[in-house]
Amino acid sequence: MALEQEKRFLIQNMIEQVHLEAFPQAANQILNLLNDENVSIYSLSKVVSHDSYIAATLIRLANSPFYGVKNKVTDLMHAISIIGLESVKRLVLTISARSIFKDYDEFDKLLWEHMIGVATCAQAISFKFNLFNENVSYVAGLLHDIGKTVMYKSKQINYETVIKQVNSNDNLLSIELENKLYNFNHCDVSKELLSIWNFDNLIVEAIYLHHSDKFVDTDAGKLSAIVNFSDYVVNWLSIGRIKPYRAVPLQDVESFNFLKIRIDNMDDFLQEILARINFSKEIF
């Protein structure tokens, strides 16, 4: 117990010293609307309008060639109607998460690509196989490695050691080295940070458990399995990673079998996921 308290105290100190800004209020309010199927364009635009950067980004996206509008969009409600309610929810959260990466170096770039990749994959497989709420899966995937940001920016540990070894070894995951070097890992840090940011406990627990060896038949357990498998897929595709992680075939991953996913052609599935991720990367 004393060891756990000591570990938590160290993690809290790291978070405090890194000075990550609080997750934007608009995004937290959006989180509360994720499961509301009856949310209106008006109520969503009212929440989004409180953050000028998010609002401006949505209007810019609505005017992008992807949506093919003939007349320039200048109104937030109009932008939301073009993009679509479900897409807007994910976009707002992604824009908010992206704002966390102020000092954007090579590590931040790779980590952001990985987080976007896992979010996109988690959302896609949740929808494709009717596994879970696709928006909640997207959020869990998007923030699953947020603890790495704190560890990298902290002066209390030398996270460069982990980065260098993972980059030079294609069969090594960072969590293995983190536990060995620090006696805690990015899942521990993510749990503490997201709790401070008042995220829903379902998302906090799923992210905390996403590197589990075994998954339990609860909502948090199922969501953690979705994030885990998505994490493997994205590492397999070498997105946000110098070398691909292919120590275990995807069909042998514990989370894949726990979720009872049936994929007849894995190559086609991977190409579909890759295309979705590349599109997401272009937007952000």
Side-chain angles (χ1 to χ4, degrees):
M1 181 64 73
L3 187 61
E4 282 298 311
Q5 289 179 337
E6 184 179 332
K7 181 173 78 173
R8 191 177 180 197
F9 181 72
L10 172 60
I11 291 171
Q12 288 173 340
N13 272 347
M14 288 171 58
I15 292 170
E16 187 176 335
Q17 290 173 12
V18 166
H19 295 302
L20 280 183
E21 293 183 10
F23 208 69
Q25 184 179 4
N28 273 323
Q29 289 177 295
I30 289 292
L31 279 170
N32 295 327
L33 297 175
L34 281 175
N35 291 314
D36 185 358
E37 296 179 357
N38 298 315
V39 62
S40 67
I41 291 176
Y42 173 76
S43 60
L44 193 56
S45 65
K46 192 173 180 181
V47 170
V48 173
S49 66
H50 293 155
D51 190 307
S52 58
Y53 175 73
I54 293 175
T57 304
L58 289 178
I59 291 173
R60 176 177 61 81
L61 287 172
N63 282 299
S64 69
F66 176 76
Y67 292 101
V69 293
K70 294 180 179 179
N71 300 315
K72 188 172 181 179
V73 179
T74 57
D75 176 76
L76 184 56
M77 284 183 64
H78 187 197
I80 291 173
S81 69
I82 290 169
I83 296 170
L85 287 173
E86 297 306 305
S87 295
V88 166
K89 292 176 186 178
R90 293 192 290 272
L91 286 167
V92 168
L93 291 164
T94 309
I95 295 163
S96 300
R98 178 67 179 81
S99 68
I100 294 166
F101 294 86
K102 299 283 187 183
D103 306 317
Y104 201 61
D105 61 13
E106 185 62 22
F107 174 77
D108 289 320
K109 177 179 180 294
L110 289 173
L111 180 58
W112 177 246
E113 287 182 358
H114 177 77
M115 290 165 67
I116 278 286
V118 175
T120 304
C121 184
Q123 184 257 327
I125 67 170
S126 291
F127 178 77
K128 185 182 182 73
F129 301 106
N130 195 28
L131 295 172
F132 212 83
N133 180 295
E134 61 179 294
N135 285 323
V136 176
S137 297
Y138 183 91
V139 176
L142 183 67
L143 298 175
H144 78 288
D145 273 352
I146 193 66
K148 288 184 180 180
T149 303
V150 175
M151 296 177 79
Y152 176 61
K153 296 183 184 305
S154 173
K155 291 182 171 58
Q156 293 184 247
I157 60 173
N158 181 15
Y159 200 66
E160 291 280 355
T161 303
V162 175
I163 297 168
K164 288 176 181 176
Q165 290 197 41
V166 169
N167 286 344
S168 64
N169 188 333
D170 56 2
N171 283 335
L172 181 66
L173 290 175
S174 60
I175 192 167
E176 300 165 6
L177 205 51
E178 292 164 1
N179 285 325
K180 181 179 177 181
L181 293 174
Y182 314 123
N183 199 33
F184 65 88
N185 57 63
H186 64 275
C187 297
D188 297 313
V189 181
S190 296
K191 181 177 182 179
E192 196 64 38
L193 178 62
L194 294 174
S195 296
I196 291 170
W197 281 347
N198 293 317
F199 269 70
D200 185 88
N201 191 58
L202 169 64
I203 291 174
V204 175
E205 283 302 306
I207 288 174
Y208 176 63
L209 297 169
H210 83 270
H211 276 297
S212 298
D213 293 326
K214 298 291 181 183
F215 299 93
V216 293
D217 192 17
T218 63
D219 283 348
K222 192 171 186 180
L223 183 56
S224 67
I226 291 169
V227 175
N228 178 275
F229 179 63
S230 300
D231 199 12
Y232 268 97
V233 169
V234 172
N235 280 323
W236 184 278
L237 293 169
S238 195
I239 294 170
R241 187 180 169 100
I242 301 298
K243 295 184 177 182
Y245 178 80
R246 295 180 177 176
V248 182
L250 290 172
Q251 292 93 331
D252 293 339
V253 173
E254 177 68 25
S255 52
F256 177 83
N257 293 297
F258 171 81
L259 294 168
K260 296 180 174 61
I261 298 173
R262 180 179 175 83
I263 298 175
D264 295 324
N265 190 315
M266 185 61 76
D267 287 338
D268 287 348
F269 168 76
L270 291 174
Q271 287 304 311
E272 176 190 342
I273 294 298
L274 184 60
R276 286 172 176 264
I277 291 172
N278 285 336
F279 175 70
S280 297
K281 283 165 60 179
E282 284 179 15
I283 295 177
F284 300 102

